[in-house]
């Protein structure tokens, strides 16, 4: 999670004396920025203000720019509603034309065609293509995922070299529940929680708010304390790896019967691995991530203590890992899933029998405005026809976006490990 | 730490079908970017390439821009050496005129006056004024802080409401050593490690590489496994706090004898609290951070098991917390310290006696090109004159920058808790 300190008073970063000048921050354009409001972030070069009526004012210093706009993710109308004007100090400012709905948002700026992250609002969230900052319009609909006065778990940043991927350096995030760090011998069940094509391993603990959602539900006694593992779903190396020890292995051959390879499903390079038992993502998950988790954390093992839930691309990865390896999982959650990989289910009668025995349920989460909604309906019917127990949450007016997946997580988590 | 996945193949983020289009990443200008090189990061809108001779090429898509430059922190000559030219696709590219010295760097772009973080190199590090990405020119001089094939500790992101600061939401980072997460009853000594005026609580585990430095030294048996607490040193709230529960308390009165209040020393609002026993930073550290650490982690207590080390502004905070509360600490480290707050030492003979009894040493780290070097020399003489045991590391050609503090940490850590 990237929530961080910000400078609510622009001058609080002043340095003492000339001897420290080499550490001086980038020059401030704060003089031209509006003062921080009651709902405002501070900072030197940008400012975001949430007005009392939930309109939002964006400001960015760009003295030589000719075109400035804001891009609020999944919100093209809101983005278009903000018109920026430049003041004499070179600061561009624009305000949404209407109050924004209660929700957690991600955004960045466009300055003369460049994609620009907010420098002052350091409540960052990474996507597969870069960085966005977040802001929250608070209300009853976000209370379940707000930071409350309850015991809190930790989010860990963990690095590892993935032997199945040729030794490249990768990262995952791990949530441990309140009290875990005091030690002892208590072991916990594990939820593997997978992001989508646009995300990375930080997504569930930033824009997804998985940690605070679980903190709140655990405090209410509604969720069993659990470890949540949030792996990286794209098969790429971390930065800082100027010379990886070895290139990743070539994509494996597709499972016969699958309709070709599917780019972007985490299977590896474009045109590479498919949704099969041995795609690169599964090799990393099963060959590196799961062993790391079992070796380093106090985890209960076996299907009754192991859940896997993923969204969109991560739902496809969940589908495959669960149905090719039903001996490992007891709970399966597919959020905004577009793919029904029947091969995984139908190719092996023994695996199908194991899945039906082990899976307490297959959970399906979706928004009713999601383009995958028809796929959800047919998938639900398919699982029913195969004799699986299903559970579902359809979010009204829900799109293919994080406000749906936040609600799905809060809905499915209480059902796990019961 | 912000090291994250990046897209080394620009197309690996492709989404499947139109139903997922709402989650589409910002439009890519990848077609106009140079291909990733052997040392290159990938990504849609920017690209950083480390050439075989350690020159570095920076590329950023900004089709409508008229002026693009790069700012490499602490390296004005390197920054000036990069001249950008725009190609027909609107991508600006520039290369350093000379190979860069082996070191970990931070940088961002300037596009028509706006400060722009690299969107593709998501190896981010926060400073007090915003975000920079990092890259490493690897060599013998960075080996001590590289990710090696050794057991690794975790870096935790921890949120808390600071009661001494009126309940504002704040964050800290905590390093737990390899094996800690397996639990048990073993307790560990604690190092409180404080950042400088330009940093925040993520600095020591990003640009400071504290976690990998310690992993490597622990693996060599040179450092005692310890918990490292990296608090936030500026007295500001986290973002996402549209309406903090209450404003922070007013700054306290300065200690008599101090030469007035010193802005930027973490004491609170400009013109506010001074370097004294009850400044706002100390209230947070002693009233919120230290109790949180003792309550939630398996820590050995008492001065023999508690160290405090800080750099620059954080050295001032370390100075005060150690000498006003010598009953709590056994090891004190001042890196690139500019201030000698004699009042803290000389005002109370009993405290001075406790300090001389408890402090195994006062460690002084500095670069010989740091503007604070004269202050270091007089401080060293002062501590000697007062009868303290001192230890020191002077880094040749070292400036007021992170390459010095990384070396200082690797030098002082083996001396702690012995």
């Amino acid at each position: 999670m990237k929530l961080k300190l910000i400078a609510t008073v622009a001058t609080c970063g002043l340095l003492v004396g000339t001897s420290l000048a080499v550490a001086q921050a980038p020059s401030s354009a704060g003089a031209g920025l509006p003062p921080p409001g009651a709902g405002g972030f501070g900072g030197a070069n940008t400012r975001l203000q949430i007005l009392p009526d939930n309109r939002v004012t964006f400001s960015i210093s760009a003295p030589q720019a000719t075109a400035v706009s804001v891009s609020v993710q999944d919100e093209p109308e809101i983005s278009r509603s903000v018109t920026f004007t430049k003041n004499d100090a070179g600061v561009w400012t624009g305000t949404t034309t209407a109050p924004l709905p209660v929700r957690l948002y991600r955004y960045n700026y466009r300055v003369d065609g460049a994609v620009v992250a907010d420098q002052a609002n350091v409540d960052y969230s990474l996507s597969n293509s870069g960085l966005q900052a977040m802001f929250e319009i608070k209300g009853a609909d976000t209370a379940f995922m707000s930071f409350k006065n309850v015991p809190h778990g930790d989010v860990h940043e963990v690095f590892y070299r993935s032997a199945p991927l040729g030794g490249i350096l990768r990262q995952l995030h791990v949530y441990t529940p309140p009290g875990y760090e005091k030690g002892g011998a208590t072991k916990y069940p594990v939820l593997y929680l997978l992001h989508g094509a646009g995300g990375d391993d930080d997504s569930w603990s930033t824009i997804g708010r998985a940690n605070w959602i679980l903190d709140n539900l655990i405090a209410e006694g509604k969720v069993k304390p659990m470890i949540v593992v949030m792996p990286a779903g794209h098969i790429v190396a971390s930065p800082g790896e100027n010379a990886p020890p070895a290139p990743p292995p070539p994509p494996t051959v597709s499972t016969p019967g699958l309709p070709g390879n599917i780019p972007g499903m985490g299977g590896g390079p474009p045109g590479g691995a498919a949704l099969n038992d041995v795609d690169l993502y599964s090799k990393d998950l099963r060959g590196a991530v799961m062993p790391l988790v079992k070796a380093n954390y106090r985890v209960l093992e076996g299907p009754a203590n192991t859940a896997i839930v993923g969204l969109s691309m991560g739902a496809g990865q969940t589908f495959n890992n669960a149905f090719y390896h039903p001996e490992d999982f007891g709970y399966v959650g597919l959020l905004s899933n577009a793919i029904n990989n029947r091969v995984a289910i139908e190719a092996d009668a023994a695996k199908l029998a194991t899945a039906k025995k082990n899976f307490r349920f297959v959970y399906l989460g979706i928004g009713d405005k999601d383009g995958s909604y028809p796929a959800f309906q047919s998938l639900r019917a398919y699982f029913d026809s195969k004799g699986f127990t299903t559970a579902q949450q359809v979010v009204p007016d829900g799109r293919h976006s994080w406000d749906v997946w936040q609600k799905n997580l809060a809905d499915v988590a209480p059902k796990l490990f019961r």
Side-chain angles (χ1 to χ4, degrees), chain A:
Chain A
M1 179 168 286
K2 298 295 165 301
L3 188 54
K4 282 287 152 34
L5 293 184
I6 55 162
T8 54
V9 179
T11 48
C12 77
L14 280 176
L15 293 161
V16 180
T18 54
S19 69
L20 309 190
V22 290
Q24 181 77 48
S27 63
S28 168
L33 286 166
F41 302 123
N45 296 288
T46 55
R47 186 154 297 149
L48 184 142
Q49 293 179 285
I50 299 171
L51 304 179
D53 65 355
N54 284 346
R55 287 179 303 139
V56 175
T57 296
F58 302 88
S59 300
I60 180 168
S61 172
Q64 287 85 49
T66 55
V68 169
S69 61
V70 67
S71 174
V72 182
Q73 188 178 37
D74 299 333
E75 303 291 352
E77 284 186 35
I78 292 171
S79 302
R80 278 192 298 267
S81 83
V82 183
T83 302
F84 284 83
T85 55
K86 185 165 77 167
N87 70 10
D88 291 344
V91 174
W92 296 72
T93 296
T95 300
T96 62
T97 50
L100 301 195
V102 169
R103 192 173 294 160
L104 182 62
Y105 294 88
R106 294 200 289 193
Y107 69 101
N108 49 31
Y109 293 97
R110 300 290 183 278
V111 175
D112 284 352
V115 179
V116 181
D118 193 316
Q119 279 285 324
N121 173 12
V122 294
D123 193 359
Y124 290 123
S125 176
L126 291 171
S127 69
N128 188 46
S129 61
L131 189 83
Q132 296 174 86
M134 304 192 291
F135 66 91
E136 181 180 350
I137 302 295
K138 295 191 177 189
D141 209 34
T142 59
F144 75 104
M145 61 176 187
S146 290
F147 186 92
K148 294 181 182 170
N149 186 23
V150 298
H152 290 279
D154 285 9
V155 174
H156 307 226
E157 298 162 315
V158 179
F159 294 84
Y160 65 101
R161 288 206 182 277
S162 175
L165 298 181
I168 58 174
L169 184 61
R170 285 167 65 76
Q171 189 177 359
L172 53 88
H173 279 68
V174 176
Y175 167 86
T176 51
Y180 182 94
E181 303 302 328
K182 286 300 281 182
T186 303
K187 296 182 175 183
Y188 297 83
V190 180
L191 164 61
Y192 291 89
L193 189 58
L194 278 54
H195 65 77
D200 85 345
D201 61 291
D202 110 329
S203 299
W204 268 112
S205 60
T206 57
I207 187 70
R209 287 275 178 90
N211 45 338
W212 294 351
I213 289 171
L214 291 174
D215 287 343
N216 293 335
L217 289 169
I218 289 170
E220 294 176 38
K222 292 179 178 170
V223 160
K224 204 162 174 178
M226 64 182 77
I227 293 169
V228 182
V229 178
M230 296 164 275
H234 294 288
I235 307 303
V236 291
S238 285
E241 287 294 278
N242 302 341
T252 51
V253 176
S254 299
T255 301
L258 266 182
N261 296 332
I262 303 171
M265 292 300 285
L275 279 171
N276 59 27
D277 184 26
V278 289
D279 64 49
L280 289 179
Y281 178 73
S282 298
K283 286 186 171 187
D284 182 57
L285 179 69
R286 300 184 60 78
V289 172
M290 293 174 74
L292 179 153
V293 169
K294 290 174 184 174
N296 293 336
Y297 300 88
R298 304 194 303 278
V299 300
L300 293 167
E301 301 193 21
N305 300 301
T306 311
I308 183 166
V309 173
L311 74 89
S312 196
M313 177 187 87
Q317 295 167 336
T318 295
F319 196 122
N320 273 30
N321 278 282
F323 283 98
Y324 280 114
H325 297 282
E327 67 278 11
D328 284 343
F329 302 101
Y331 303 85
V332 179
L334 308 173
L335 313 184
S336 298
N337 184 48
I339 310 282
N340 180 0
N341 181 10
R342 293 166 180 250
V343 173
I345 296 177
E346 297 173 1
D348 186 328
K351 282 191 191 296
L352 179 59
T354 302
K356 289 171 71 169
K357 177 168 69 72
N358 282 355
F359 297 173
R360 293 286 297 274
F361 57 74
V362 176
Y363 179 89
L364 301 170
I366 192 88
D368 62 7
K369 298 287 194 295
D370 190 319
S372 302
Y373 188 71
F376 153 81
Q377 291 176 303
S378 66
L379 201 59
R380 170 73 192 265
Y382 177 80
F383 281 122
D384 288 341
S385 76
K386 290 292 176 185
F388 285 96
T389 300
T390 54
Q392 71 176 54
Q393 183 191 40
V394 178
V395 175
D397 290 322
R399 304 163 299 169
H400 199 81
S401 54
W402 276 100
D403 52 316
V404 170
W405 304 320
Q406 293 151 354
K407 293 183 176 74
N408 289 162
L409 176 63
D411 185 60
V412 71
K415 300 176 172 65
L416 301 176
F417 314 123
R418 300 294 184 181

